[in-house]
Amino acid sequence: MADDRTPRVLVVWCPDWPVVAVTGDDPVAVTEGGRILACSAGARAAGVRQGQRLKLAQRLCPELELRDRDPEAETRRFEPVVAAVEAFTPRVEVIRPGLCAIPVKGPGRYFGGEEALAGKVGRAVADALGQPLVPDAVPGAVAVEARPATGSRPEATPQAPATSQVPAHPQIPAHPQVPAHPQAPATPQAQVGVADGLFAAVLAARAGVLVPAGRTAEFLAPYPVSALGDEALAELLGRLGLPTVGAFAALPAESVADRFGPSGAVAHRLARGLQPRPLVPRDEEPDLAVEQRFDPPEPVAEPLVFVARTLAEQLHQRLAGAGLTCRRVAVEVACADGRTASRLWRHEGRLSATALAERVRWQLQAWQGAGTFTGDGGGGEDTGFTLLRLAPDGLSPDQGRQLALWGQAVADDRVERAVARVQAVLGHAGLRRIEPAGGRGPGEQAVKVPWGEPYEAAVPTDAPWPGRLPEVWPAVVLREPAPVRVLDGAGQPVTVDGRAGVSARPALVVVRGREERVDGWTGPWPAVEYWWDRSLARRRARFQVVVGGGRALLLTVEGGAWYLEAGYD
């Protein structure tokens, strides 16, 4: 049974929100990291799914329109939804654009109970989205059956209005905060769920159900352990014969902590329907909020963004000095006419000062786009900003982290500050880092990622790559391969047949009209790529040659033509 101190939480979930935030004709999909992040109903009907590689998605749906993810647009478009939920309580927590949560205790009593509150929130969100209320978007109570004595998997079905029933346990995602989207409609919709704690409430919103108080553990029991959000732990539990959350929750807490460590103990509490960590009572929480007042008032929001970077660094320093970490950060703004606005953002100790400042910028843009700070609420004159405040919420002891020797942490902090200054001038994507990627050619094995953005390779970097070059990497890789000519001793072009047979020994390489004598060569390394897709199929071979002066070149032959791809020092 859930702990009495586990709060009841209501979650509003808008499926496929990244697609809602971008403009495009159906079918459309939003991409991130070389894979499909979300897609429209038309794309899903053609077989496109979240997590698919882009080439596979385009093969399944040739008319698919691909769009890059736009976090700023997601935040801006989600602001009316958050404002609608905020009408019921100011304690709205934005987990990510498309997913927000509120505590149930106070609003539930005021609005006549949890089910009544869920119905009112669902209708308010539907009005904010400009759509009619989806019948399954407002949850009904869930009847959770007791676990059979035979150990068979319990079933839970919500008692929806009228006679329809909605399954309480659909297929769920690897992480509860990033749900696997069901068949999404062409227009934005929302679902509401209520349960004990945020983790279970997110799953309840995906199912569109209201889990009775104290029955969350039984509701969670049939889900696979991958729902706990720890892939390594889920794989280990599967090998140990514990495939479901209920089977894992049945283990003694002390044994779980001894065997799986702190992360396993947190997952075990979630599986039992408890808070991820025990509450830490405090007589009085320290005031760690940071703020900046503006006199005279700032008429535009841009200066607040630069101030936010400094405030974010100060906030992190105060938290570190107190040995604390926070679960959320409140962004508060005040105007000269007395109006105020605030919004909670999920933190969990994972946001750097730069990332926190970026979220302040997104929030300011969302407020401005919604007309929050204009005189008439939608196009009047701005009165000016007088205050920007960042306040930590949900404080808990910081478990710390292992630091490197020889001042590495200090050096990292200096790098982050330098990056923040450069990005302020060049924009978020103006400074990029190099990340390894899968592929055969040197230009395919590295990608540029904006600094501070997470990256997950679209294809495994350590997978078998037939035709990949030996582990000697060129120092210079051309943006676009340059055409060259390769001749034999008789001055005839060197060719490569379909069996990777070379017509003659290369003797000369003509680069931009200049002849280079070949002193040595090796190869070919043939590669036949995308043979199953005629529009993408490629057949090519690579050679390494050494020319006069000891310089080495990487050459590629494709379709009978030779190209200079890279050079070695």
Side-chain angles (χ1 to χ4, degrees):
M1 179 174 292
D3 193 321
D4 292 339
R5 296 176 294 178
T6 302
R8 299 284 287 172
V9 178
L10 181 148
V11 167
V12 176
W13 172 54
C14 299
D16 294 317
W17 192 254
V19 175
V20 176
V22 301
T23 57
D25 298 330
D26 199 13
V28 62
V30 176
T31 66
E32 186 177 50
R35 290 181 180 269
I36 299 296
L37 176 67
C39 60
S40 63
R44 185 169 290 105
V48 179
R49 294 293 183 270
Q50 181 187 20
Q52 280 182 345
R53 298 177 182 177
L54 302 187
K55 298 301 182 184
L56 176 58
Q58 290 177 315
R59 183 160 63 90
L60 293 172
C61 184
E63 64 276 14
L64 181 65
E65 183 178 354
L66 298 179
R67 295 298 182 93
D68 292 332
R69 186 179 187 183
D70 189 346
E72 296 181 15
E74 292 177 25
T75 304
R76 185 172 60 255
R77 291 288 302 275
F78 195 55
E79 181 61 25
V81 176
V82 178
V85 179
E86 201 172 37
F88 297 88
T89 173
R91 302 294 293 174
V92 180
E93 178 181 337
V94 180
I95 302 171
R96 58 173 173 81
L99 190 68
C100 65
I102 62 172
V104 171
K105 184 176 180 180
R109 292 177 177 176
Y110 183 84
F111 290 100
E114 294 181 351
E115 193 164 354
L117 173 65
K120 292 178 182 294
V121 170
R123 284 185 284 273
V125 171
D127 292 340
L129 293 173
Q131 301 296 333
L133 185 65
V134 180
D136 295 339
V138 179
V142 178
V144 183
E145 298 179 3
R147 182 181 296 274
T150 58
S152 62
R153 169 171 163 168
E155 298 294 329
T157 55
Q159 302 302 317
T163 59
S164 61
Q165 290 187 336
V166 182
H169 301 291
Q171 291 296 320
I172 62 172
H175 193 287
Q177 294 185 1
V178 188
H181 307 318
Q183 185 75 10
T187 52
Q189 303 287 357
Q191 292 185 189
V192 180
V194 181
D196 296 329
L198 177 62
F199 168 74
V202 171
L203 297 181
R206 285 199 66 260
V209 298
L210 190 154
V211 182
R215 310 297 297 275
T216 297
E218 297 175 62
F219 168 74
L220 295 173
Y223 284 98
V225 289
S226 59
L228 298 173
D230 190 328
E231 294 182 3
L233 177 63
E235 181 181 358
L236 178 58
L237 292 175
R239 294 200 303 266
L240 294 176
L242 301 171
T244 65
V245 172
F248 180 49
L251 298 178
E254 297 79 4
S255 300
V256 171
D258 292 341
R259 174 63 178 83
F260 302 106
S263 61
V266 169
H268 191 249
R269 291 184 62 84
L270 291 177
R272 292 156 57 201
L274 306 180
Q275 289 281 69
R277 55 177 174 271
L279 298 180
V280 181
R282 300 180 63 88
D283 296 334
E284 182 180 355
E285 288 190 348
D287 184 10
L288 301 178
V290 293
E291 64 180 37
Q292 176 67 49
R293 296 185 179 274
F294 303 94
D295 188 12
E298 285 288 351
V300 294
E302 283 72 14
L304 274 69
V305 176
F306 290 98
V307 171
R309 295 180 183 275
T310 302
L311 293 181
E313 292 179 357
Q314 294 176 3
L315 177 61
H316 281 73
Q317 291 173 1
R318 289 192 178 187
L319 288 171
L324 299 173
T325 185
C326 64
R327 298 175 60 191
R328 298 170 292 268
V329 172
V331 180
E332 303 175 3
V333 174
C335 296
D337 61 358
R339 284 178 297 171
T340 61
S342 65
R343 183 72 72 243
L344 282 171
W345 279 90
R346 199 76 174 176
H347 190 287
E348 292 288 6
R350 292 193 294 264
L351 294 181
S352 64
T354 302
L356 181 56
E358 280 293 303
R359 280 152 179 79
V360 173
R361 179 169 67 88
W362 298 346
Q363 190 60 63
L364 289 172
Q365 291 177 343
W367 278 330
Q368 285 188 313
T372 304
F373 303 125
T374 54
D376 59 2
E381 294 296 329
D382 292 342
T383 60
F385 302 101
T386 60
L387 173 70
L388 173 62
R389 188 170 187 265
L390 303 182
D393 184 71
L395 297 176
S396 62
D398 190 356
Q399 296 182 353
R401 58 191 179 98
Q402 182 65 47
L403 299 178
L405 298 177
W406 321 123
Q408 182 64 40
V410 176
D412 290 344
D413 291 340
R414 291 176 178 173
V415 170
E416 289 292 339
R417 287 195 293 269
V419 167
R421 290 193 294 270
V422 174
Q423 286 182 319
V425 176
L426 301 180
H428 180 64
L431 187 62
R432 304 187 180 190
R433 68 181 191 276
I434 303 299
E435 292 287 348
R440 295 178 175 83
E444 301 169 350
Q445 298 181 40
V447 295
K448 297 178 181 179
V449 182
W451 189 281
E453 289 291 328
Y455 172 73
E456 181 179 354
V459 293
T461 58
D462 56 351
W465 291 99
R468 174 181 280 190
L469 296 173
E471 298 291 333
V472 179
W473 308 115
V476 179
V477 179
L478 277 66
R479 293 180 181 270
E480 294 293 337
V484 298
R485 296 170 59 204
V486 180
L487 307 176
D488 59 16
Q492 298 299 316
V494 177
T495 61
V496 180
D497 61 25
R499 295 181 177 270
V502 184
S503 63
R505 175 188 178 89
L508 292 175
V509 176
V510 183
V511 182
R512 298 185 179 93
R514 185 179 60 184
E515 294 184 353
E516 299 276 3
R517 181 172 53 86
V518 176
D519 295 334
W521 64 282
T522 182
W525 285 276
V528 180
E529 301 172 309
Y530 299 105
W531 52 266
W532 59 89
D533 190 337
R534 297 184 61 181
S535 62
L536 300 176
R538 300 185 68 178
R539 180 188 293 267
R540 53 184 169 173
R542 291 184 172 88
F543 289 76
Q544 292 172 333
V545 300
V546 178
V547 297
R551 295 190 307 116
L553 306 176
L554 177 63
L555 304 180
T556 303
V557 58
E558 181 177 5
W562 289 84
Y563 300 92
L564 173 60
E565 188 173 0
Y568 299 85
D569 285 342

